[in-house]
Amino acid sequence: MKIRGAVLEEIGRAPKYADSTPLTICDLELDEPAGDEILVRIECAGICHSDLSVVNGDRVRPVPMLLGHEAAGIVEQAGDSVTDLVPGDRVVMTFLPRCGQCRGCRSNGLLPCSEGTASNTKGTLLSGQVRLHRGGEDVLHHLGVSGFATHAVVDKRSVVKVPADVPPEVAALLGCAVLTGGGAVLNLARPEPGDTLVVVGLGGVGMAALLTARALGAEVIGIDANEEKLGQARSLGASAAYTPAAAAELGITAPTVVEAAGNTRAFETAVALTEPGGTTITVGLPAPDAMAQVSPLMLVAEARTIIGSYLGSAVPARDVPVFADLWRQGRLPVEKLVSARIRLEDINAAMDDLAGGRALRQIIHFEGEASG
Ligand SMILES: [Zn+2]
Ligand SMILES: [Zn+2]
């Protein structure tokens, strides 16, 4: 079928992206779903920092690639081997398909799936197939999803079904921002009511960590170098919010600190704000060559723990329903992460807003997009 999507043509084009247009909005051919695959009509897709990291070259992927990995939509067609999903189901896309067999898949969410990681690196679906084409040429899949499009064919292990009462915007956010930031809190920090948690880096993932900690009854202190984010954090329920410099000056520390910014300085800040005996949980994805300084003596003498958490150490099929329930109970107002609602055509300018720190989550709505 013919679809419309946003294809990254080349890595590393210079900002301003509204002018250099690294992403082309174009028509593509999408194959029918086969075997374990499903065809999904995309309702909403969120623009995440990991998309920007591909555009700016921090995370190198093969191109041309149809970007987007935080999305939700309605199943329109299921391959022959799919028994647990039917047309009409609303599904959340997750950005690391799990084969269910490998060592990573048996690690209770701690390790990524090795097969899913391999297919994501190549830009294929979990089956190794490419279902997207343009003018006879293959266009690669982003993290098994490619959600910046009117439709996607994905492996059934790339999605989690959600009840129909979960709105598409909320559903999309559950798949990346909430699973990553919230998962780190739910699965690793595990705060008791009244505990204090520090969150460093107040983008979509950090704010999702904040909301989840609040949902579990914890107090949250937000940290970000961008002062605008501090007011937003307070309005999302943080009891206090500071720049890293102000936090250091005030001597702020907490037993558990979540780092969600994905750069060396934020990681070092997070370690510095962790009190002796405490735990630093890092979920951000810095550039591959980034190196941080940590004192090994301090780790030992102050009995510190540093935990790396990929995708919030989440098992999507287990954790997405937990977050959906918290949302339904009114305890996790995921929709507050939405800072703008945009059209697919606005995507390059949206990358500028994200790069400039002006956006929390910009959501593309596909209702009414031409396709057929
Ligand atoms: Zn993401
Ligand atoms: Zn696996």
Side-chain angles (χ1 to χ4, degrees):
M1 70 185 292
K2 200 180 99 192
I3 67 162
R4 262 179 98 59
V7 175
L8 178 67
E9 308 288 354
E10 185 186 16
I11 306 269
R13 276 196 204 165
K16 176 181 178 203
Y17 299 125
D19 298 330
S20 63
T21 60
L23 293 151
T24 311
I25 313 300
C26 57
D27 292 339
L28 298 101
E29 284 298 320
L30 183 65
D31 295 340
E32 300 232 326
D36 281 327
E37 295 162 359
I38 53 172
L39 168 67
V40 179
R41 174 174 58 80
I42 306 289
E43 298 175 283
C44 284
I47 300 175
C48 169
H49 213 276
S50 303
D51 299 304
L52 179 62
S53 296
V54 182
V55 171
N56 69 18
D58 278 351
R59 197 141 308 262
V60 174
R61 302 271 176 198
V63 290
M65 176 174 275
L66 202 164
L67 290 191
H69 61 278
E70 183 180 86
I74 302 291
V75 176
E76 288 205 329
Q77 195 184 334
D80 300 338
S81 319
V82 179
T83 52
D84 47 350
L85 293 166
V86 295
D89 285 346
R90 178 166 287 141
V91 289
V92 173
M93 306 285 194
T94 63
F95 62 79
L96 180 74
R98 285 199 167 271
C99 75
Q101 317 281 323
C102 71
R103 176 166 169 257
C105 285
R106 286 184 270 110
S107 70
N108 201 25
L110 282 184
L111 285 173
C113 167
S114 50
E115 275 195 42
T117 303
S119 59
N120 279 1
T121 302
K122 283 188 296 212
T124 69
L125 298 182
L126 193 57
S127 62
Q129 300 295 312
V130 174
R131 301 290 178 212
L132 283 163
H133 317 281
R134 182 176 58 177
E137 172 198 42
D138 282 353
V139 172
L140 297 168
H141 298 266
H142 185 209
L143 303 179
V145 175
S146 290
F148 294 160
T150 54
H151 297 78
V153 165
V154 300
D155 193 281
K156 66 176 182 185
R157 289 160 290 187
S158 289
V159 306
V160 177
K161 181 179 165 176
V162 287
D165 72 325
V166 179
E169 268 187 358
V170 170
L173 288 161
L174 292 182
C176 177
V178 175
L179 210 52
T180 305
V185 173
L186 187 73
N187 295 316
L188 296 175
R190 291 189 222 153
E192 299 284 332
D195 284 356
T196 297
L197 194 85
V198 166
V199 177
V200 178
L202 300 170
V205 170
M207 293 297 196
L210 186 170
L211 289 180
T212 303
R214 294 295 295 139
L216 300 178
E219 296 293 325
V220 177
I221 299 171
I223 308 287
D224 200 292
N226 178 345
E227 305 229 4
E228 218 173 291
K229 298 283 171 83
L230 305 181
Q232 289 174 2
R234 283 191 214 97
S235 70
L236 291 178
S239 49
Y242 305 104
T243 61
E249 202 166 305
L250 290 166
I252 303 285
T253 57
T256 309
V257 178
V258 174
E259 180 280 320
N263 63 63
T264 303
R265 263 205 337 267
F267 174 76
E268 291 172 348
T269 296
V271 173
L273 295 178
T274 308
E275 65 185 41
T279 302
T280 314
I281 300 165
T282 179
V283 300
L285 292 168
D289 57 353
M291 290 289 160
Q293 289 208 320
V294 174
S295 154
L297 175 62
M298 187 183 76
L299 274 184
V300 175
E302 298 183 351
R304 290 165 174 279
T305 306
I306 299 176
I307 305 179
S309 173
Y310 186 69
L311 219 179
S313 309
V315 177
R318 176 194 70 197
D319 295 351
V320 166
V322 174
F323 289 116
D325 276 345
L326 287 171
W327 170 83
R328 188 175 295 104
Q329 293 165 27
R331 293 162 63 191
L332 191 71
V334 174
E335 50 273 58
K336 288 189 177 171
L337 298 175
V338 179
S339 58
R341 297 178 172 90
I342 64 167
R343 298 172 315 142
L344 185 62
E345 283 66 23
D346 303 326
I347 194 162
N348 286 298
M351 290 287 168
D352 286 320
D353 285 341
L354 183 58
R358 295 182 291 276
L360 206 49
R361 263 308 191 263
Q362 305 171 87
I363 305 274
I364 302 167
H365 279 252
F366 287 94
E367 201 60 42
E369 288 279 349
S371 67

